[in-house]
Amino acid sequence: TCGAGSDTRLWLSKADDSGRDFFTLPIPGPDVTKPHSLQTKLSLGKRFALVIQQTSTAGTPVQEQLVVVLLDPNKDGDFSDAKIQKTIDLGMRPPAAAGNCALCFDAYGRYAVVSSPASGLLTVLSLTKMSVVARFNVGGAPGRIVSVGAAEHFH
C-alpha cells in the first residue's frame, strides 16, 4: 500500500515469470488518512486483503475505515481483477488520539477483529457475510489483538 487519502493505492503483481508490471487498485479514504495494517487472508475459498485507513492528524476528527478487497473475484489466480468488496466505518478518531489500529483473524478465516485505540472499540467482521457482527467498547487504547484457538487444526 502507498499514498494517502484519495490517492491511496494497493499495489499488486503477479508472482511468476511473465514479466508483468505492477498494477494498482485505488483505495478511497478521507484526505487525512493513510493505509495501515494491510493483511491478507484466505476465507472459505476467497482471497481477501484488508486495509485499515487511519489518521494520526491531530485536531481533525475523522472516520477511520476498514477496506475489504476481494483479490481474485473470478478465481483464476490473477489478481488484476481485484475489487473493493466492502468499506466499513471503524469509528471517529478524536483529536490528538494516539495509537495504531490492529487486525487479526480467527483460525478458520471466517471473522476479522479490528481494534481502534482512539475510540476503545473492537469491531468483529464476518468475512462470509461482509458485515459487522459485533462491536465492543473495551475502553483504554486496544492496539494489539491476538487470536488463539483451534489447536487441533491451525495453532
Side-chain angles (χ1 to χ4, degrees), residues 89-100:
D89 291 336
L90 297 176
M92 298 293 282
R93 177 172 287 255
N100 289 325

Side-chain angles (χ1 to χ4, degrees), residues 5-145:
S6 58
D7 290 328
T8 299
R9 301 280 186 268
L10 175 64
W11 286 72
L12 302 158
S13 177
K14 194 168 184 175
D16 65 8
D17 295 334
S18 68
R20 182 179 180 144
D21 292 335
F22 286 96
F23 52 95
T24 65
L25 177 69
I27 304 291
D31 285 338
V32 294
T33 60
K34 291 184 180 181
H36 177 73
S37 297
L38 167 70
Q39 289 195 27
T40 59
K41 188 67 175 177
L42 177 63
S43 177
L44 301 173
K46 295 180 180 178
R47 295 186 185 279
F48 293 100
L50 284 81
V51 180
I52 296 172
Q53 285 281 68
Q54 78 174 42
T55 185
S56 58
T57 304
T60 307
V62 66
Q63 185 69 244
E64 295 184 318
Q65 299 174 327
L66 174 67
V67 180
V68 181
V69 177
L70 184 57
L71 290 174
D72 190 12
N74 65 4
K75 297 183 181 181
D76 67 354
D78 183 352
F79 294 177
S80 64
D81 58 344
K83 66 178 184 177
I84 293 175
Q85 183 79 20
K86 183 113 179 174
T87 299
I88 297 166
D89 291 336
L90 297 176
M92 298 293 282
R93 177 172 287 255
N100 289 325
C101 296
L103 174 64
C104 77
F105 301 91
D106 73 306
Y108 296 98
R110 294 184 182 133
Y111 297 94
V113 180
V114 183
S115 73
S116 181
S119 63
L121 292 175
L122 295 180
T123 300
V124 181
L125 167 71
S126 166
L127 291 175
T128 56
K129 296 179 182 177
M130 279 299 137
S131 64
V132 173
V133 294
R135 281 213 164 107
F136 301 99
N137 187 342
V138 297
R144 183 172 176 202
I145 307 170

